[in-house]
Amino acid sequence: MSDIPAIELKGISKAFGPVQANRDISIRVMPGTIHGIIGENGAGKSTLMSILYGFYKADAGEIHVNGTRRDITDSQAAIAAGIGMVFQHFKLVQNFTVLENIILGAEDGPLLRPSLARARGVLKSLAEEYELSVDPDELVENLSVGHQQRVEILKALYRQADILILDEPTGVLTPAEADHLFRILDNLRREGKTILLITHKLREIMEITDTVSVMRRGQMTATVRTADTSPEELAELMVGRKVLLRVDKAPATPGRVLLEVENLRHVDAHGVERLKGVSLQLRAGEILGLAGVAGNGQSELLEVLGGYAAAKGAVRLNGQALPLAGPGSDAGARRAAGLGHVPEDRQTEGLIMPYTAWENTVFGYHRDPRYQRGLLMDNAAIRAEAADKMARYDVRPPDPDLAARNFSGGNQQKIVLAREIERDPEVLLIGQPTRGVDIGAIEFIHKEIVRLRDRGKAILLVSVELDEIFALSDRIAVIFDGQIMGERDPARTNQTELGLLMAGMTEMPDGPLVEAVDAQMAAKAAREAEHHG
Amino acid sequence: MDRMPAWADAVLVPLISILLAALLSALVILAIGESPVEALLLMVDGALMRSTGWGYTLYYATNFIFTGLCVAIAFHASLFNIGGEGQAMIGGLGVALVCLFIPFPHWSIALLVATGAAALFGAGWALIPAWLQARRGSHIVITTIMFNFIAAAVLNYVLVNLLRPAGAMDPATAPFPAATHLPSFHDMFATADNPLFRGSPANVSFFLAVLACLGVWLLIWRTRLGYEIRAMGFSESAARYAGISPVRITVITMLISGGLAGMMALNTTMGEAERLVMNATEGAGFIGIAVALMGRSHPLGVLLAALLFGFLYQGGAELALWTNIPRELITVIQALVILFTGALGNMVRVPLERMFVALRRRAS
């Protein structure tokens, strides 16, 4: 391995208006290694990568690629320097074939046929070399998310990238797909490619990287060899203080059934059946975790239960049937019945971003007579109540007059959580409670959810983060393709088994996977026995 | 962080936009061989230096306040109501019907009932596009434009075939009874030795327009309905989550919007012409778009912008009277104002924002 770093950044700084997104960042990435960059949302990871890929121009600093200084002014220059990027949100043309997507923007000439033929050859060799097999003639819209990501990687390799940047690559993958991705990354490393992996998941950093750099508030706080560090240490470096990575909670004491969902069916605006007969039971004092890969009907289930999507089937709250279509099925009626809802996307659903914090603290409950004074709204009372809620939920800054969009993700989520929990709902639906939320806030939010459970409320937790499902749930249900594939006790299952269920396999196929699961279960049981004994 | 103080966004941006528009207009005036300075002086003299000029300026402003509010309130729900013109025409029909067929004892009662009729007719004309948008997804920009033409045709038919007095040659109703005539500013403010506002059409409906500004402000920022309208305007998906029905809000907002446009007819028919004529709206429905854009959809902004456009209208008429500058030039100036405040708003805003950020950095 040579001593010249594949990428060296020297003193990179970048400000957006008054916000210093990157401050004097220097980093050396050695060739043939996987270098992790970890940090909370807003720490400046994405800005740094955007500078490296030519989307932004740094205010100060230098970029060196393989020892020579490069002026990367746009993505074309980045590609010319051998840098490829795999975005979190894929940039693929859905109704083009894989091959057409690969040559898009890198055609050899005005005629497509020669380009396509050459690409087909290159693709074949790449597929063999790196376990990157994709059917070149399939339309991208027919590919699974994992395969679409492979197309993105192939696009970069086709453009002869030696350095690959992956931005939160596992966010949309099943555990099995993520494992496959890591195998691909491992093969790429073996062939001498350099990989920059941006993530906020500590487990991934520990699993695959050689070196890891930690960012906090626009600065690079540390670069360490992965083998010499631990998740706890990394978390502390990210947040700046000691963090509890596990959730402390007593065993659940489930009471009577509060929410009963029976054979729920929902067809979306495009005529696609998104829920194909979902049945669930939710008891007082328990958290039911709904695991699944994004796009398998979780969002629709929350919308139906939350009262803004029509469905067939039956939902009973406290024994009372809730209308699923027509009058009385709207979100306001659900709230009145005692069903709170922290939506999956706080920016497009949970909050009105230009509204002030105090306006947002009654959003959805604004028709409550206690917020009215004659014909007008009692803004003074709402503001006073908001200030109180914000203090109790440690929203920072505690300024009720600030617009929601000016709060960080974690504090926005606290505003939503305060609003929904403070109404003391019988049942709380929570979608992706910690998506885009910093570690410090995650700890707080998880604690509040457990506290609500301990007050005897029922909680339906939808999350694509398996770690979160495991940390919080008293019971885990897995959804795939609009159906519940099964329920598991979190103490008696593992990521592998849930991963299979999330991929739609109810019965495990014969073969090494089953043995792997069995072996892991046995090891876990042994560990627990040791622990208790 | 907000990049720029709110006052700069609300005051400086429109002000600079107007100056840029005025500068370009000056070049146009130069190009046709007239002096822009003289033209400006003439406009100021004709529109603002005498009470009669003010009478005209405020008369036009009254129209623009109503149509500006009409567009502004729809903007808050993220709806673009281009149908103010047609809604005002049909509103005029409502005014004419009550004035002609109900024997009123006093103008104040006539005004009350006619206001209701104007709002009702205007709202009714907005209802169909609103319903089509809310239920069928037909875009409201397209349908309201089409409804402007339909309104003109309907009014034409009604005036020519139904309401035209026997033997009359022009497509207009009979004059309204004297008891429905609104007091003009001249009636209200002139004294024996000081004939203020003589011969000018400004009338009591100007105060109604100012009241409407206050009402819209209260509605948007102080009521539950306003809260829901703004919420839907910002994010329809969030509105749905909060149990706000986009269909309901779309329809209600458009009814209010159309009602405000309809009320403009009080000024032109009851206040000025004292009968309903074919082209009573004179394009004020479209000026309302510029007024709302420039006033940033805020009632106070709408009021100020309407005064500016009233000045441009009256000043333009003076220009046409005393110089070789055609009246159409005013349309050019208006178009430039719309261009700079609406379409090119960011051209002014972005450099200003940079300037403020730089200033703040130097200060800190």
Side-chain angles (χ1 to χ4, degrees), chain B residues 141-188:
Chain B
V141 168
I142 309 293
T143 47
T144 49
I145 289 178
M146 296 199 297
F147 265 66
N148 285 338
F149 289 102
I150 301 174
V154 166
L155 196 64
N156 199 343
Y157 174 82
V158 171
L159 285 181
V160 171
N161 296 300
L162 303 177
L163 292 181
R164 183 170 50 97
M169 295 298 283
D170 55 330
T173 65
F176 296 166
T180 66
H181 295 177
L182 294 181
S184 69
F185 278 16
H186 180 67
D187 301 335
M188 286 187 282

Side-chain angles (χ1 to χ4, degrees), chain A residues 241-451:
Chain A
R241 62 178 170 84
K242 282 228 180 295
V243 203
L244 207 58
L245 288 178
R246 297 199 22 210
V247 182
D248 265 335
K249 65 180 176 97
T253 49
R256 66 204 164 85
V257 175
L258 280 184
L259 185 74
E260 236 184 319
V261 175
E262 228 176 76
N263 199 21
L264 210 57
R265 291 177 179 275
H266 165 73
V267 178
D268 73 6
H270 304 289
V272 181
E273 192 171 36
R274 293 291 178 179
L275 296 177
K276 301 174 177 171
V278 169
S279 299
L280 288 170
Q281 277 199 342
L282 205 51
R283 292 174 178 278
E286 71 164 356
I287 299 173
L288 173 62
L290 187 61
V293 179
N296 276 290
Q298 306 95 311
S299 309
E300 288 79 5
L301 179 64
L302 287 179
E303 284 170 18
V304 166
L305 293 177
Y308 49 112
K312 290 201 176 84
V315 176
R316 280 182 292 275
L317 182 69
N318 247 335
Q320 205 83 34
L322 298 175
L324 292 175
S329 71
D330 64 303
R334 292 292 153 79
R335 285 186 177 85
L339 198 92
H341 182 188
V342 176
E344 288 189 295
D345 192 334
R346 60 181 165 273
Q347 305 209 343
T348 63
E349 292 190 344
L351 296 167
I352 298 285
M353 300 308 276
Y355 270 13
T356 58
W358 66 265
E359 283 175 303
N360 271 304
T361 53
V362 292
F363 191 53
Y365 301 99
H366 56 276
R367 296 191 188 177
D368 190 321
R370 74 168 136 141
Y371 300 130
Q372 321 290 327
R373 205 180 47 196
L375 283 173
L376 306 182
M377 285 185 90
D378 193 350
N379 288 350
I382 299 172
R383 193 189 269 114
E385 206 184 284
D388 178 52
K389 276 183 202 163
M390 288 170 81
R392 265 184 294 139
Y393 280 77
D394 191 30
V395 178
R396 284 179 229 181
D399 178 2
D401 290 318
L402 208 58
R405 59 162 170 250
N406 292 335
F407 289 92
S408 72
N411 284 302
Q412 288 174 355
Q413 191 72 330
K414 283 184 195 171
I415 295 175
V416 179
L417 218 62
R419 180 180 75 210
E420 300 300 324
I421 291 183
E422 287 299 298
R423 299 294 300 203
D424 205 30
E426 287 296 293
V427 176
L428 185 63
L429 313 170
I430 304 186
Q432 320 298 349
T434 56
R435 174 145 71 192
V437 166
D438 37 80
I439 291 193
I442 289 178
E443 204 183 348
F444 181 90
I445 290 168
H446 282 175
K447 254 190 226 157
E448 286 300 323
I449 294 173
V450 172
R451 267 187 32 187

Side-chain angles (χ1 to χ4, degrees), chain B residues 94-128:
Chain B
V95 174
L97 290 178
V98 296
C99 285
L100 287 172
F101 295 108
I102 300 178
F104 288 106
H106 189 261
W107 68 263
S108 57
I109 300 169
L111 179 60
L112 223 63
V113 175
T115 303
L120 203 69
F121 274 64
W125 201 248
L127 177 63
I128 302 169

Side-chain angles (χ1 to χ4, degrees), chain A residues 17 308 330-332 335 341 343 348-350 352 354-355 359 362-364 366-367 372 375-377 379 406 419-420, chain B residues 1-3 218 221-224 226-228 230-231 234-235 237-245 248 357 360-361:
Chain A
Y308 49 112
D330 64 303
R335 285 186 177 85
H341 182 188
T348 63
E349 292 190 344
I352 298 285
Y355 270 13
E359 283 175 303
V362 292
F363 191 53
H366 56 276
R367 296 191 188 177
Q372 321 290 327
L375 283 173
L376 306 182
M377 285 185 90
N379 288 350
N406 292 335
R419 180 180 75 210
E420 300 300 324
Chain B
M1 288 303 286
D2 291 321
R3 302 276 179 86
L218 275 174
W221 278 286
R222 287 291 180 273
T223 68
R224 197 174 71 193
Y227 181 91
E228 296 192 344
R230 283 182 296 135
F234 286 131
S235 168
S237 52
R240 244 183 264 272
Y241 155 81
I244 299 166
S245 155
R248 185 174 154 269
V357 169
R360 196 170 307 163
R361 198 172 295 164

